[in-house]
Amino acid sequence: MLTQAVIKDLTAIVGSKNIITNQAGLAAYGYDATLMSQRPVGIVFPRSTEDASALVKYANRAGLVMVPRGAGTNLSGGSLPVENSLVICVSRMTRILEIDPKNFTATVEVGLVNFDLQEELEKHGYYYPPDPASYKASTLGGNIAECSGGPRCFKYGVTRDYILGLEVVLPSGKVIEVGGKNFKSEFRYDLTRLLVGSEGTLGLVTKAILRILPKPFAKRTMLAIYNKVEDASLTVADIVAAGIIPTTLEMMDNLLINTADEHVKLGLPRDAGALLIIEVDGYEVDLDNQVRLIEELCNKADVRSFKVATSQAEADQLWLARRTVIGSVGRRRPSYSLQDVTIPRSTFPQMVDAILACSRRYDLPIGILAHAGDGNFHPLVLFDERDADEVVRVHKAEVDLIRDALALGGTMSGEHGIGVLKKEYLDLEFTDVAIEAFRKVKRSFDPTAMLNRGKIVDIAAEG
Amino acid sequence: MAKEGKKSSTLDEVIKELYLCNKCGFCQTACKVYKTDLNESFSARGRVQLIKGVAEGRLPVDEGFRDAVNSCLLCQECAVACPSGVKPHELVLAARRYMQQTEGLPLDKKIILGTLADPFRRKVAFSTARFLRNNVSNRIEGFNELKGIDVRGMPIDKVGFIDQVPELNKAQASKGRVGFFVGCFINHSLAKTGHAIVKVLNKNAIDVVVPKKQLCCGTPQNAYGDFELAKKNARKNIRLFKDLDAVVTGCGSCGAMLKKEYLHLFADEPEFLPEVEAFAQKIFDFSAYVMHEIKLDPEKFKVFNHKVTYHDGCHMARGLKITKEPREILKSIPRIEYVELREADRCCGAAGLFQSYFYEIAKDISRQKVQNIENTGADIIVTGCPACVHRIQGSLRLAGKEQKVVHLADLLAEAYQ
Amino acid sequence: MQDNILEKLRSIVGAEQLVENPAQMGAFLLGPEAPLAVVFPGATGEVAAVVALCNELGIKLCVGGHTVSSKGLAGGIAMVMSRMNRVLEIDHENLVAEVEAGAQHTLFQQQIAADGLYFPPEPYGGEGSSIGACIAAGDLDCKSFLYGPPRTYILGFEMVLPTGEVLSCGSKVIKNVSGYDLIHFIVGSKGTLGVITKVLLKLLPLPEARRTVIGSFASLAKAAQVIQILMERKIYPARLNLLNAPLAGQIVPGTGPLAPGHQVLVDLEGFQNSTAHLSDEIMALFRLEGATDALCVEEAGAIDDIWRQWLQLKKAYHDDVQDRAIDFLVGPAHLAAALSGLEKLVTDLDSDSGLIIYALNGNLRLFPTPGHDFPALLQEINRLALKLDGNLAGDLGFRLKCEELRETEMWQEMVALTDGIRSRFDPKGILAPGVHQ
Ligand code: SF4
Ligand code: SF4
């Protein structure tokens, strides 16, 4: 609980409309898209960098641990408040400061929702490539904090590749700018890269300069349906070997085909083993050849049906199904645990086997969703959070999946981050030397762990 | 129809649905209130989670909770966006009912709800508003706006529409007969639209019956959890229209209430339910009726040189699921230039009592609507909901804009001139 | 003491892999200061042992692929990675290669090209330079617009920390957000955080088609205008470079030199159809816009030849005139404005001072003739760049920007922060003494 004096001081900084301390409000900021929750002691909404800096300075003086937050859609617990912390929510810093298409940059406040930016860029014929499935809700600040990916990474890369510069309130409250409007404005170290994906543990990002690109001249969206997951993974390998880098190679298994179709009603065959959404883009004159080649490769892999979307609306429907598929599993079981393991592409079939084995081992339904081109799997373990026994099994399954991915030479997180959810498994992936290097980084920015304490790594007081 | 799902009467019964929400947050963009206030407790997800907290006994029903639940527009956009199939607006309704049962409505809201439900008091209330407008606002310089509602611009008819027309309005060479469920808004402040509906139907050789004893459809009572009062009126309305084979409404909210919500309302009375179903079957929104049952003849319209756009009311689009009909009708009018409105089906900010309780948010929401309208360049905005007509016209007026907002029936009546 | 150290070093790398004779050392050093010795480790273990020794004794250490900067290295150790030059694995299915840091950049590119694979970044210091140098420098090159800067291509690394431990990060996956992003953070750290011994690189399929188009133009303004038109038509080739007349003569296609002038060099890579269309379109545009000469090169060997010359030119300027080069950026759309501003400051751009432009990135590298008042020019160009949505490159650019905008607090904060990171990794301050001075 915040004392009246602290509430008064915080109110003096942000104004009474930008602070929440009532029970319901605290509860509403106690969760994200994971199953965990905690109650913060208060929520404040900075409206400007000055607000943010003043808040951070004040929290330091008052000894309040701070948790930065955007829309709270993250999947690792990165924005979950720890006990007795103050949530600094950037959701009301939503201004677009500049869109400069000719110089390929957009400068924004980080509370801006990814989709809202895309809509503005669209008017100029531009776009910002990283668009995680949550892009309609998630803020760019959140995307930056987690280094979000999305379905287009295979060709276009992740958030990291599109952040040119940041304005950051350091854990001390001082404000710095890192990077700039181009690839060559970092001072000494590429701090921008360190901050991207740091899950709000190193600084509170307030503004970002993003790299934007003109929309591709043309694209083709294809839907390939298979009897077996193995056939789909063969296609993935073949496409890459043929020298084509599609923007997208998204895979769903039978379970997800069913739930997605219940939500979006595309009329997908409910008995299909897997489907791939394949998208290529580029110059119009090149695409027909690529589509032809891809079709051949799909046929070679015993595709059951292959279809090129004939209109934008048709392609949009496919994408809607893909983007909402995770939520749609709620139609099967109320809760899910979503993993984010990523493996070298060549071990795709082994990972599928591992997931199926895990499902049998713990007697839990697991849906397989994958950014197949990236080797990024999102196995969805379905259960009911009210069933204590199931919850225990789910946790076991989670660890197994991480171990399986690591054994295949992968990583436990391709795009969701460590947060608190995977923190306990960090030493499965990293040596002590690496974890100690993480601590060095954290200490350099935030020696007393005032910002997002307890995420990624813990640090002891220096000295 | 009734299989759509039984409306849970208490929080206990909706717990199942609460657990369907996996907190993905996808409904945030859908929720206009959240997008405007950017506060999680005012988002669909926030409401669902808070209701869950109360249902599980983790959270008290305090002011924060009440605000979260009462600030919902019931626009249903969240339900469309939710991949898990959660219907946050229904959970909100359940929570409101729960609050109503456990502690009663706050006094001022109770007065308004009771007023709308009771035909006599309803008249008094609307004429009080008229008095206020004529005597207070017109005299006090600058008193144009009460909590974001355009008081000065709001027409309030002296004599309600129902009292202005005979019970039976005969067409020349009549070919059929429909009942007309007028609804409070048309009755008290948009009589013109009521006449337009009658006129268009009559022009197409349909007799229009306006039962004099009809009552409020029950939307406001339903929305704020006073289901008993809503049921009482509903029962009377159903009986009143018993002898008619088709009933036309000119208001998306009334339509959705009569056609969909009555079924929910009486889900716990299986013996009465068949009667409710029969009633629901014969409810038509004006646009659906003229398009499918009458089949308008565009030849009869005069040339209409206007740039027109269409706003879907929430209950029209997501309650009745009517979006195509009005657009097609508009496009069929010769020479009309139809432009699509960005975010056409998003709430305009009226949402019943919302506009006076969360007036700042409502104002912001309306501002967005005005901007989108500006961007279309249209000079006439058509909609199918009287509440939206008022809200949008008022917001345009407060913003100093000239565009006109009309009901679809108004426009058609004019096209028949 | 000295002998003792040399003895220990010999026992680590082997006697024949250590040079202490100043005359012999010279070949491996850049700069006048003299270290105790140059060592040539052959394996990670050896690197770790050398680093641990230096750390223990507080001896400065600096590392390079073939040559080492001796700045601040008097009495220290220079480490040359040329023996650790193996390509350890080329993994077709995953489009990944694992190489030792000393592997030669261009040789590596040739080797994987034979396999149909592609590693886009240009070598940092010309043909002979190493992959390790490319990563340590992390410098943008003229292909960065289309392909991303070098960091885009690093998936993991092995590095000996200044305290002697071996740090490994990353794996053969193109998406990885586990822990802090050290994988990309070390790119551009210029050897201050550790000695990179191995890297895991992301590869692409080799483009299906290539063409090179060159045009000569009478004025810089005209050349800039042509570039502008290309970009407005959304033509973004792999490289779109401009060499001013004093440098343009160094690129001589197999068919003979082009008419003198400022040269626009376009490198097209992509699919067959679009590449053919685009080269036609560009040729037509060059002619239409009054190119004094234009050439489209289609034959692979001839194309390679041109870009080899380009790399040589780049290296020559990289090594020879580095200290008096001005490297700056503007918003790419402001190229014409930048050039007209520059022509006012540097009057011999047509005849003497060199200028290399990576147009897509808005990156200009000016090599003014010695007659110019260098510090004054730097200030002027800084102002020009800031006005045009840009800045001087790197550390210098940041300092001048802070000075210009009077951001003293931010400057101090950034120095403290970066010093803090460095000293936590390298508590005794042994690595790369010449960097960040
Ligand atoms: S019904 Fe409308 S206002 Fe209410 S929660 Fe859903 S989207 Fe928000
Ligand atoms: S209501 Fe639906 S869309 Fe909203 S958070 Fe819950 S599951 Fe997601």
Side-chain angles (χ1 to χ4, degrees), chain C residues 3 5 75 148 168 363 395 406:
Chain C
D3 288 344
I5 295 166
S168 298
N363 190 185
D395 298 0
R406 299 200 172 70

Side-chain angles (χ1 to χ4, degrees), chain C residues 245-274:
Chain C
L247 301 186
Q250 299 188 33
I251 305 285
V252 184
T255 47
L258 270 76
H262 306 283
Q263 230 170 52
V264 178
L265 290 147
V266 188
D267 185 16
L268 291 165
E269 293 181 341
F271 289 96
Q272 211 80 51
N273 291 345
S274 56

Side-chain angles (χ1 to χ4, degrees), chain B residues 30-31 33 44 47 72-78 89:
Chain B
C31 184
V33 183
R47 294 185 182 100
C72 173
L73 301 164
L74 300 180
C75 68
Q76 309 180 21
E77 299 230 23
C78 46
H89 63 283

Side-chain angles (χ1 to χ4, degrees), chain C residues 422-434:
Chain C
R422 186 171 179 179
S423 66
R424 279 184 176 81
F425 276 83
D426 184 4
K428 291 199 179 165
I430 58 162
L431 274 190

Side-chain angles (χ1 to χ4, degrees), chain B residues 20-27 44-45 48 78 81-84 86 88:
Chain B
L20 270 185
C21 170
N22 50 48
K23 297 186 285 188
C24 68
F26 282 22
C27 50
R45 174 176 71 169
V48 174
C78 46
C82 176
S84 303
V86 181

